[in-house]
Amino acid sequence: EVQLVESGGGLIQPGGSLRLSCAASGFTVSSNYMSWVRQAPGKGLEWVSVIYSGGSTYYADSVKGRFTISRDNSENTLYLQMNSLRAEDTAVYYCAREVYGGNWFDPWGQGTLVTVSS
Amino acid sequence: DIQMTQSPSSLSASVGDRVTITCRASQSISNYLNWYQQKPGKAPKLLIYAASSWQSGVPSRFSGSGSGTDFTLTISSLQPEDFATYYCQQSYSTPRTFGQGTKVEIK
């Protein structure tokens, strides 16, 4: 079964750092485009970052310079290192695979909540 | 960046109604348009990809159409389990962008 499971969310103070993990099963992370998408409380979906199978990475302007996407091929896991966190980064963070050919998101993880507050 | 505009932002409908949600892209995206359903507290679920292709397991009452800049998601006969929020998303270019969502509520 193709599945993604996120972990690492929690309560963090403004300016702090957090690393999210997304463990994949049923497929190989390094052979796919993998994205992070977030959803602030009561709001819509916002794409955050992508790592291509070749290793190129891209970020939304709102997180550029603060967040870093990476993967561990041996662990088949995707990561999102989040630094200099702000209150507006508070959201549920989802990882998702982009399906080759059309780049739609499937599957999605269950999400992990990040709350940035003092 | 490509802007995606959905309408309406919310609607009230009854079981059995035909429901149509529209999504407009700020530039042509060919058929790189996908639709997701999200229920409260759950991750989004892929319904339609490449504008008009059904994801496996999605009921045939859901259909998608369009190309270029204008797209439509239609639910032919609304069922109780269809009350949710629906999002369109373009996968033509990076950054990937979503519409603001359409909340379908019970009348």
Side-chain angles (χ1 to χ4, degrees):
Chain A
E1 181 189 5
V2 174
Q3 190 175 9
L4 294 166
V5 178
E6 298 101 334
S7 60
L11 175 63
I12 187 75
Q13 291 189 338
S17 297
L18 208 57
R19 188 178 81 158
L20 306 183
S21 301
C22 170
S25 57
F27 71 98
T28 302
V29 164
S30 61
S31 300
N32 287 268
Y33 292 7
M34 298 294 298
S35 277
W36 288 95
V37 176
R38 69 184 180 183
Q39 186 170 38
K43 303 296 185 182
L45 300 169
E46 179 190 18
W47 174 83
V48 172
S49 181
V50 63
I51 183 167
Y52 289 170
S53 49
S56 298
T57 58
Y58 298 89
Y59 300 91
D61 287 344
S62 57
V63 306
K64 200 172 295 181
R66 300 186 298 123
F67 289 13
T68 302
I69 191 171
S70 64
R71 65 192 182 206
D72 183 324
N73 297 345
S74 64
E75 296 290 327
N76 206 32
T77 298
L78 176 73
Y79 298 101
L80 186 67
Q81 178 67 44
M82 304 185 295
N83 298 331
S84 302
L85 282 161
R86 307 166 179 166
E88 55 265 35
D89 295 318
T90 294
V92 174
Y93 285 74
Y94 298 100
C95 61
R97 179 184 65 172
E98 290 197 15
V99 176
Y100 180 77
N103 301 110
W104 51 88
F105 295 123
D106 184 68
W108 296 63
Q110 85 286 359
T112 187
L113 175 62
V114 173
T115 303
V116 184
S117 175
S118 55
Chain B
D1 298 1
I2 298 175
Q3 308 303 316
M4 305 301 294
T5 304
Q6 271 182 253
S7 61
S9 56
S10 66
L11 64 90
S12 295
S14 300
V15 172
D17 284 353
R18 181 181 182 89
V19 168
T20 299
I21 300 168
T22 63
C23 180
R24 175 165 288 176
S26 60
Q27 67 183 73
S28 177
I29 57 171
S30 185
N31 69 334
Y32 287 84
L33 190 284
N34 313 302
W35 290 98
Y36 303 87
Q37 177 193 66
Q38 187 179 34
K39 296 183 178 179
K42 299 294 187 181
K45 170 189 168 185
L46 177 69
L47 290 179
I48 301 286
Y49 62 90
S52 60
S53 295
W54 280 281
Q55 171 68 344
S56 175
V58 172
S60 58
R61 63 181 179 272
F62 291 93
S63 64
S65 64
S67 67
T69 60
D70 294 311
F71 302 87
T72 299
L73 174 70
T74 299
I75 310 172
S76 59
S77 178
L78 198 65
Q79 297 302 300
E81 60 268 30
D82 301 337
F83 292 94
T85 300
Y86 294 85
Y87 294 92
C88 63
Q89 176 246 335
Q90 65 83 16
S91 52
Y92 181 80
S93 66
T94 300
R96 312 302 191 207
T97 44
F98 292 87
Q100 78 276 19
T102 296
K103 187 173 185 179
V104 177
E105 298 175 302
I106 302 172
K107 181 183 284 185

